[in-house]
Amino acid sequence: NNTNNVVSAFKTATGTSSTSGLPQVGTAVDYVFGFEADWLHNSLRRFTAGPIAAVGATTPLSAQHTTAAFQVPTFGSNECDELYSKDRFGPGAPVELPAQTSPYPYIVTTTTPSSGSPSKTTTGPFCIINPVTTTVTSNGTTTMTQGIQQKDIAFAPEDRSSFLIKYMAGMRLINRWHSKDGSTCGLTPTAANPKGDFAPCVRSIADLTLGQDEAITGGILRHAVFKGDVIFAIPKTTAFFFGSAAMRIAENKNLSPLILQPATVVTTSQNPPSTTQVPSPNTWVLPLTQPDRDFYRVGIGVDLSSTLATVFKGKS
C-alpha cells in the first residue's frame, strides 16, 4: 500500500480530539530490476561495497471505494479556505469547479410566474456548491435553482491508468557473518574455514541511492529523491529489521491544519441522518492523489524460506 497522502485532525461526535489518516491511495504492486557489483571487499568477503542501479515501477491496482468522509466546514472558516489550497489538494481543489464563478458560493433561485416579473433569491454563502441547475415548472410558474449545497466530502482512491515509474543509482553496503559463528561464509570447506560449517551467510544490507520516484512526488517525475534502505538481520533468528526513508530534494511547504468533522459513508439510497451518501449531488468526491511528500517506514519481517527450512529440517 502506498502511504501518507493527506492527514487530517478532527473532532469526534463527543467533542474529543483524535486523528485520522488518509493513507490508502490503493493497493499496489512494487517491483524493481537492476544490477549490483562488488568493488570493495576484505579478504574474507564479510564486508562488501559496490555500485547499484535499478529501474522499476509501482503498479496501482484499481480500487472503486470510498476511503473516508467528512462534513464540509462552514463558509468563511479557516478549514473552508484550506479546502481551496492547491498545495494540499492540487487540481482537485474546489476552486477549479465552475460553481465558484459569480454568483457562487451562493445558491441562486429564479422564479418566473406566468405573468409578472421574475424574482431572484439567494441563499448562502456556502463553502462548496455543486454547479447543478434544476428547473421545475408548475401551474405556469417556472423555478430554476442554480447550485446545490455540498454538505459532505468523500475521499476515494485515484483511478490511475499508468505505472508509477522510478529509477535510482547509488551504493550497496553488505555485512556478512556466518550463521554458525564461523569465520567465513559458505556451504563447503575452504582454506580459511577448513571444517566447513555448512551454513549460509547472514547478511545486513544498506542501500544509499539517488534518483526519482513518481510514487512519492505526486505521480510525476520531478524532484531528485534520496533514498536509504536498511535490512538488519537479527542474529540466530530468521527475523530481520527493515527501514527505509525517501527524502525529496525540494522546498518545504507548511500547510495550515485541516480540522474536519467525520461522517459515516453509505452507498445506497437509504441515507439516514448524519451519514454521507456516495454518489450524491450533496457530496463532493475528492481523489486521493499520489503524495508529494517525504516518506519513511520501519518494520520487522521473517525470512520465510529459512523458517520453513528450519521447521521441515530432517523431514521428507
Side-chain angles (χ1 to χ4, degrees):
N1 289 331
N2 295 318
T3 57
N4 297 335
N5 187 39
V6 180
V7 177
S8 302
F10 63 90
K11 291 185 178 180
T12 64
T14 60
T16 58
S17 295
S18 61
T19 59
S20 173
L22 302 178
Q24 302 299 325
V25 177
T27 304
V29 178
D30 195 342
Y31 52 92
V32 179
F33 302 93
F35 79 92
E36 169 193 352
D38 288 340
W39 280 1
L40 174 65
H41 58 83
N42 55 20
S43 59
L44 297 179
R45 299 189 67 86
R46 295 185 62 177
F47 173 83
T48 60
I52 58 173
V55 62
T58 301
T59 306
L61 304 180
S62 179
Q64 300 296 324
H65 65 274
T66 300
T67 300
F70 301 94
Q71 299 176 25
V72 171
T74 304
F75 177 78
S77 65
N78 179 71
E79 288 72 25
C80 179
D81 295 340
E82 189 64 19
L83 290 178
Y84 285 79
S85 171
K86 291 188 175 65
D87 287 338
R88 185 182 292 273
F89 295 113
V95 72
E96 295 294 319
L97 296 178
Q100 302 310 316
T101 59
S102 180
Y104 298 106
Y106 293 89
I107 294 177
V108 180
T109 302
T110 302
T111 302
T112 305
S114 55
S115 61
S117 302
S119 61
K120 182 181 294 186
T121 60
T122 61
T123 55
F126 302 107
C127 184
I128 306 173
I129 298 296
N130 187 340
V132 174
T133 299
T134 60
T135 303
V136 178
T137 301
S138 177
N139 298 324
T141 300
T142 300
T143 302
M144 182 178 67
T145 300
Q146 294 176 297
I148 296 177
Q149 179 187 2
Q150 301 261 352
K151 298 181 178 180
D152 300 294
I153 306 170
F155 291 89
E158 188 177 44
D159 191 8
R160 186 181 174 90
S161 62
S162 299
F163 294 167
L164 296 164
I165 304 299
K166 58 183 169 184
Y167 64 88
M168 64 208 73
M171 295 290 293
R172 168 165 290 180
L173 312 177
I174 304 177
N175 188 48
R176 303 170 176 84
W177 64 88
H178 199 283
S179 59
K180 291 189 176 181
D181 300 324
S183 59
T184 61
C185 304
L187 298 176
T188 59
T190 64
N193 184 21
K195 293 183 179 180
D197 291 326
F198 300 99
C201 294
V202 176
R203 305 194 307 167
S204 291
I205 303 174
D207 290 345
L208 304 174
T209 59
L210 187 67
Q212 290 185 310
D213 188 347
E214 288 184 335
I216 65 170
T217 56
I220 59 177
L221 288 176
R222 59 181 174 184
H223 315 316
V225 176
F226 173 77
K227 286 188 176 182
D229 298 275
V230 176
I231 299 177
F232 177 78
I234 301 176
K236 300 182 180 180
T237 71
T238 59
F240 58 90
F241 167 84
F242 66 88
S244 63
M247 291 159 281
R248 304 165 305 114
I249 302 178
E251 182 180 358
N252 175 62
K253 294 180 180 179
N254 293 317
L255 301 177
S256 298
L258 180 60
I259 302 175
L260 301 174
Q261 296 284 345
T264 302
V265 178
V266 296
T267 56
T268 66
S269 59
Q270 302 298 321
N271 192 15
S274 73
T275 62
T276 299
Q277 183 174 334
V278 181
S280 168
N282 300 101
T283 302
W284 172 44
V285 179
L286 188 68
L288 282 174
T289 58
Q290 286 299 130
D292 185 15
R293 61 181 60 203
D294 294 348
F295 164 85
Y296 77 94
R297 63 183 172 189
V298 293
I300 296 177
V302 176
D303 185 341
L304 187 59
S305 61
S306 298
T307 302
L308 294 177
T310 302
V311 172
F312 295 101
K313 185 177 181 180
K315 297 182 180 181
S316 60

